Amino acid sequence: MVSKSQSKEAQASKGQGKDIAVSKAQSVPSNPAKKMRFTSSSKKDPSSATFDEVTKSTRGINTMSRVMKRKIQKIKPVVEYNKSGRSHGKAATEMQSYIGVLARTRVPLVDKKWTQLPKDLKEKIWEAVQMAYVVGEGGKKMVLSSAAKKWKDFKSTLTRQFILAFANEKEKLKEPPQLYNFIDKSEWDAFVASRLSPDFEAVHSEQSQRREKCKYNHRLSRKGYVGLEDQLEETIPGEEIDRSLLWKKAREDKQGNILDPKVAEKAKLIVSFTVSVLNL
């Protein structure tokens, strides 16, 4: 027979064992082999495009941990350039990601064009990139042009995914997206108001019509034409990589097929024209 006191002790020991097991399970990362490339804030990140369904870590004010560490150590990777004069390689790719972070977090979210922003603000972005990378002579224009595009793309993403998508649900527009929790509340309110104005609606409609006329979209994603050119130089060394070849390869899938009939027909015309020119 087991006494009541022994039964209670056994239950307590069992419960304590559960607590220890849970504690151990929580302390072990879900994927210990995976290293984080960016540091982030301790808030939560949305699992979807909505504002209230939050399950993961937020992006917060992202900083690239490797860049920050190298800055402290005063180590600066050298950005390389291809024969066309465009930056390429690992350092260039990482630098572009860093420029994106700077454009999102250091430039105010305002309804203005890049050319209307203060010069000292742009100068600070250039100085931050210079502190992290050896960009080379003439790199300032490239860096600021990239920052301008990334800032514009960021505003476009916010407009499409987080404002226009909730135009009829104003409650969800009261706070900045959890995914970008570094956005100032007053800036967000002003930006939302500008994007829901009749003037912007007219501009957005015009731009949408222009976008529909782009029939021959590429499949390059972040790699871009520079990355594709690097890839082709490795896979088909010795062959001249001209614009016609880049155009065609940029629209092929991994098996080398062009699925869109209109794009495939245009690619054939470009190839045949190129061959005829070379045979002259």
Side-chain angles (χ1 to χ4, degrees), residues 192-211:
V192 169
S194 70
R195 286 325 193 226
L196 296 179
S197 67
D199 290 341
F200 179 79
E201 185 178 350
V203 172
H204 179 69
S205 177
E206 182 181 350
Q207 294 298 331
S208 296
Q209 291 175 12
R210 287 182 180 178
R211 181 66 185 86

Side-chain angles (χ1 to χ4, degrees), residues 35 39 57 65 74 77 111-112 132 192 202 229 235 238:
K35 295 182 179 179
T39 59
S57 304
S65 57
K74 296 183 179 180
D111 187 30
K112 291 183 179 180
V192 169
E229 190 171 356
T235 55

Side-chain angles (χ1 to χ4, degrees), residues 7-224:
S7 177
K8 288 182 179 179
E9 288 177 2
Q11 289 178 359
S13 176
K14 186 177 180 182
Q16 188 178 19
K18 282 185 177 180
D19 291 340
I20 293 172
V22 170
S23 177
K24 286 183 177 180
Q26 289 175 341
S27 65
V28 177
S30 59
N31 188 359
K34 186 176 181 181
K35 295 182 179 179
M36 294 300 293
R37 184 172 181 178
F38 301 99
T39 59
S40 63
S41 66
S42 60
K43 294 184 180 180
K44 301 293 180 182
D45 189 16
S47 59
S48 65
T50 62
F51 288 82
D52 50 355
E53 295 177 1
V54 180
T55 58
K56 299 181 182 178
S57 304
T58 59
R59 177 172 297 181
I61 301 179
N62 276 339
T63 55
M64 297 179 69
S65 57
R66 283 187 295 177
V67 175
M68 296 299 105
K69 185 177 180 180
R70 287 199 304 259
K71 277 188 175 182
I72 295 172
Q73 298 173 338
K74 296 183 179 180
I75 299 173
K76 299 200 294 185
V78 178
V79 176
E80 298 178 343
Y81 295 82
N82 61 16
K83 60 185 179 182
S84 302
R86 292 185 287 188
S87 61
H88 74 132
K90 291 182 179 180
T93 301
E94 187 189 74
M95 180 186 69
Q96 289 297 330
S97 296
Y98 185 52
I99 293 172
V101 171
L102 296 173
R104 289 192 300 270
T105 59
R106 295 198 181 185
V107 184
L109 187 63
V110 291
D111 187 30
K112 291 183 179 180
K113 294 182 179 180
W114 179 260
T115 54
Q116 297 174 311
L117 297 177
K119 290 183 179 180
D120 62 336
L121 181 64
K122 302 171 188 176
E123 195 66 28
K124 288 179 181 177
I125 291 178
W126 166 236
E127 290 172 358
V129 173
Q130 269 194 313
M131 288 176 64
Y133 302 91
V134 178
V135 184
E137 186 179 353
K140 183 176 182 179
K141 182 178 180 181
M142 176 268 292
V143 167
L144 294 183
S145 295
S146 177
K149 184 180 185 306
K150 287 174 171 57
W151 183 63
K152 182 180 178 182
D153 290 345
F154 177 51
K155 293 198 297 179
S156 177
T157 297
L158 291 175
T159 301
R160 288 182 290 103
Q161 296 184 12
F162 298 98
I163 298 178
L164 297 183
F166 301 99
N168 297 322
E169 302 175 73
K170 299 298 173 60
E171 284 294 318
K172 294 182 178 180
L173 298 176
K174 288 186 176 181
E175 297 291 335
Q178 289 281 346
L179 185 61
Y180 304 107
N181 63 352
F182 52 81
I183 298 175
D184 182 77
K185 175 68 164 59
S186 59
E187 289 181 6
W188 173 253
D189 290 341
F191 187 69
V192 169
S194 70
R195 286 325 193 226
L196 296 179
S197 67
D199 290 341
F200 179 79
E201 185 178 350
V203 172
H204 179 69
S205 177
E206 182 181 350
Q207 294 298 331
S208 296
Q209 291 175 12
R210 287 182 180 178
R211 181 66 185 86
E212 289 177 359
K213 294 179 181 179
C214 298
K215 301 177 182 178
Y216 311 112
N217 300 307
H218 63 67
R219 302 167 55 90
L220 295 176
S221 188
R222 287 188 63 190
K223 178 170 63 177

